[in-house]
């Protein structure tokens, strides 16, 4: 992925956001700690890496030891001011801290059993997702317009802040808006009147809780992306924010919109897909590095070839081709239903069965379908 410098104004704004988050984290104590190894552990006093080299790595978007070990050598060598010899030493010291070798399947199973899932607000939707949206992986929401993709993103931006016992992840949300559809009013209505049915045997009224509207908004760092280069620069900025404070969710709504406009025609298709693949890999790196849930939305495109319509009644397919299909761990297909009802189908997942359920979009966010 190419290195993108952010403007001085954007850097100053990011510092203000980090400062406000750090003040809140001091009040939260150890619960707000970020479970990563910061680059400062490689400094000269312990590992022999000069502070100047660490500063250059941070300016390029690498803030943790994990981020260095997950990145190809040729990408690190491209950082201005760092020679190949310095990069080799940095990689060597980083690899001695982060284990990149084999482990037993039992250890993998234990780690996955401890994964946090973020509730969607709908008990039926949580059920087909195995408890909610999985952290540490990329979840793709695709469908036509008005199928609830953005509404679900708004809902998750609030529920990710909830305590573990209430289906949350006790973390903040980073929200990157590429289409101008982020609406704070939806966050407010969801936070004020959010109702979750956590267990079947509990009275729904007993499960109703209220989240401070001010806290819900302050815990969401949002940015509008205007082109693919700006989008990449925002990811670099996101990495800096995650290294300083606890985040549990990263939303990109939509992940494909800017790539469809900044690249046009078949002549630029290869370049678009290559750029898209690097972008998605960066998202996966952030997910692996910080353990956040990454939720992206995707468009639908109609297949101009109608020869398969006899066997395929739905000629539409998600955009992005195989690049985005392979990058997404869980793919959810959203369709319109009657009124405010929507249908969600598990389109692809390595662990979830292919099934579907219905949910509704209400004033207070995502809910179960009501039997009226």
């Amino acid at each position: 992925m190419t290195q993108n410098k952010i403007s001085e104004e954007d850097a100053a704004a990011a510092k203000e956001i980090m400062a406000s988050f750090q003040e809140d984290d001091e009040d939260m104590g150890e619960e707000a700690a970020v479970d990563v190894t910061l680059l400062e552990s490689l400094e000269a006093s312990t590992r022999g890496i000069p502070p100047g080299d660490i500063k250059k790595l941070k300016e390029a978007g690498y803030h943790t030891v994990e981020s260095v070990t997950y990145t190809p050598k040729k990408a690190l060598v491209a950082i201005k001011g760092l020679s190949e010899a310095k990069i080799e030493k940095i990689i060597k010291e980083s690899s001695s801290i982060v284990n990149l070798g084999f482990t037993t399947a039992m250890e993998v199973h234990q780690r996955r059993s401890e994964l946090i899932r973020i509730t969607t607000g709908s008990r039926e939707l949580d059920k087909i997702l195995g408890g909610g949206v999985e952290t540490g992986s990329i979840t793709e929401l695709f469908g036509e317009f008005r199928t609830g993709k953005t509404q679900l993103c708004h809902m998750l931006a609030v529920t990710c802040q909830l305590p573990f016992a209430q289906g949350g992840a006790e973390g903040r949300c980073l929200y990157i808006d590429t289409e101008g559809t982020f609406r704070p009013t939806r966050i407010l209505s969801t936070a004020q009147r959010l109702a979750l049915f956590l267990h079947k045997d509990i009275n729904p009224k007993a499960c109703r809780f209220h989240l401070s509207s001010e806290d819900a908004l302050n815990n969401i760092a949002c940015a509008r992306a205007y082109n693919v280069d700006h989008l990449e620069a925002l990811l670099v900025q996101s990495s800096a924010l995650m290294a300083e404070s606890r985040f549990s969710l990263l939303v990109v709504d939509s992940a494909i919109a800017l790539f469809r406009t900044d690249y046009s025609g078949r002549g630029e298709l290869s370049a678009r897909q290559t750029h898209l693949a690097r972008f998605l890999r960066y998202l996966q790196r952030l997910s692996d590095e910080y353990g956040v849930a990454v939720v992206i939305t995707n468009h639908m495109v109609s297949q101009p070839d109608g020869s398969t319509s006899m066997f395929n009644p739905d000629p539409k397919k998600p955009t992005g081709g195989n690049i985005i299909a392979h990058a997404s761990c869980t793919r959810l297909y959203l369709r319109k239903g009657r009124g405010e009802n929507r249908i969600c189908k598990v389109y692809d997942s390595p662990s979830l069965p292919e099934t579907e359920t219905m949910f509704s979009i209400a004033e207070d966010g995502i809910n179960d379908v009501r039997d009226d």
Side-chain angles (χ1 to χ4, degrees):
M1 184 173 183
T2 56
Q3 306 302 329
N4 289 277
K5 298 283 186 179
I6 59 177
S7 66
E8 295 181 0
E9 293 79 4
D10 290 340
K15 288 182 180 179
E16 291 181 3
I17 294 175
M18 283 190 283
S20 64
F21 284 165
Q22 286 172 352
E23 291 178 0
D24 295 338
D25 290 344
E26 289 176 359
D27 298 333
M28 295 172 66
E30 294 181 358
E31 293 181 359
V34 181
D35 188 20
V36 292
T37 308
L38 299 179
L39 281 180
E40 282 73 13
S41 61
L42 299 177
E43 284 188 357
S45 59
T46 56
R47 298 280 179 174
I49 306 300
D53 293 346
I54 292 179
K55 181 180 179 181
K56 293 172 183 175
L57 286 170
K58 286 186 174 182
E59 290 175 349
Y62 302 96
H63 297 269
T64 66
V65 176
E66 288 84 357
S67 65
V68 173
T69 57
Y70 297 158
T71 304
K73 179 181 176 181
K74 66 177 183 179
L76 297 174
V77 172
I79 299 175
K80 187 177 180 180
L82 294 179
S83 64
E84 186 172 352
K86 287 184 177 181
I87 291 299
E88 288 180 353
K89 182 173 178 58
I90 291 172
I91 293 176
K92 179 180 178 182
E93 295 299 331
S94 300
S95 300
S96 65
I97 297 176
V98 180
N99 179 25
L100 297 178
F102 287 98
T103 185
T104 64
M106 177 57 71
E107 291 177 354
V108 176
H109 174 67
Q110 290 176 348
R111 286 199 301 267
R112 287 198 53 80
S113 64
E114 297 172 356
L115 281 178
I116 301 170
R117 294 181 180 273
I118 303 173
T119 180
T120 62
S122 166
R123 185 172 58 186
E124 293 301 317
L125 186 53
D126 285 346
K127 185 185 298 183
I128 68 169
L129 296 179
V133 175
E134 182 180 275
T135 56
S137 65
I138 298 176
T139 299
E140 174 194 354
L141 311 176
F142 68 89
E144 294 182 276
F145 66 94
R146 208 176 67 85
T147 54
K149 302 185 296 296
T150 298
Q151 299 301 323
L152 185 53
C153 289
H154 281 70
M155 186 73 182
L156 292 170
V158 177
T159 58
C160 74
Q161 306 174 35
L162 297 174
F164 298 128
Q166 293 180 323
E170 297 185 6
R172 296 184 173 91
C173 171
L174 275 167
Y175 200 111
I176 300 178
D177 179 16
T178 67
E179 298 179 306
T181 55
F182 179 75
R183 295 294 182 268
T185 53
R186 296 296 294 158
I187 301 297
L188 289 172
S189 60
T190 300
Q192 290 169 353
R193 301 183 60 187
L194 182 60
L196 296 180
F197 305 98
L198 303 178
H199 302 286
K200 291 182 179 180
D201 55 342
I202 294 181
N203 187 343
K205 294 183 179 180
C207 293
R208 187 177 296 272
F209 58 84
H210 298 276
L211 185 66
S212 168
S213 301
E214 183 178 350
D215 290 341
L217 289 175
N218 286 332
N219 286 331
I220 300 175
C222 56
R224 174 73 188 275
Y226 294 96
N227 56 65
V228 292
D229 294 329
H230 185 209
L231 181 60
E232 289 187 355
L234 289 174
L235 288 188
V236 174
Q237 196 172 329
S238 299
S239 180
L241 290 171
M242 291 181 185
E244 298 294 335
S245 183
R246 176 176 170 77
F247 285 83
S248 57
L249 176 67
L250 170 60
V251 175
V252 183
D253 183 26
S254 115
I256 194 66
L258 296 177
F259 289 93
R260 298 184 74 182
T261 56
D262 291 4
Y263 294 90
S264 58
R266 290 184 176 273
E268 293 186 313
L269 180 60
S270 177
R272 187 195 82 169
Q273 293 300 89
T274 302
H275 201 167
L276 177 62
R278 290 199 302 266
F279 166 73
L280 293 170
R281 178 166 181 174
Y282 199 103
L283 288 178
Q284 185 61 62
R285 199 197 85 186
L286 292 177
S287 179
D288 294 335
E289 189 177 343
Y290 298 102
V292 299
V294 175
V295 176
I296 62 176
T297 64
N298 192 7
H299 297 166
M300 297 286 284
V301 61
S302 298
Q303 301 181 60
D305 183 10
S307 60
T308 59
S309 59
M310 180 183 301
F311 307 99
N312 182 15
D314 187 2
K316 299 178 295 295
K317 63 179 181 179
T319 58
N322 292 327
I323 295 295
I324 198 168
H326 289 299
S328 301
C329 181
T330 302
R331 310 187 77 191
L332 303 180
Y333 180 19
L334 304 183
R335 308 194 310 274
K336 302 171 187 175
R338 283 188 176 183
E340 299 301 322
N341 294 339
R342 301 292 184 269
I343 303 169
C344 178
K345 177 181 179 180
V346 178
Y347 190 80
D348 179 41
S349 172
S351 57
L352 301 174
E354 184 176 324
T355 184
E356 63 180 41
T357 190
M358 294 185 67
F359 65 93
S360 68
I361 302 175
E363 181 183 353
D364 59 352
I366 303 300
N367 282 300
D368 285 323
V369 176
R370 297 178 181 177
D371 298 327
D372 295 333

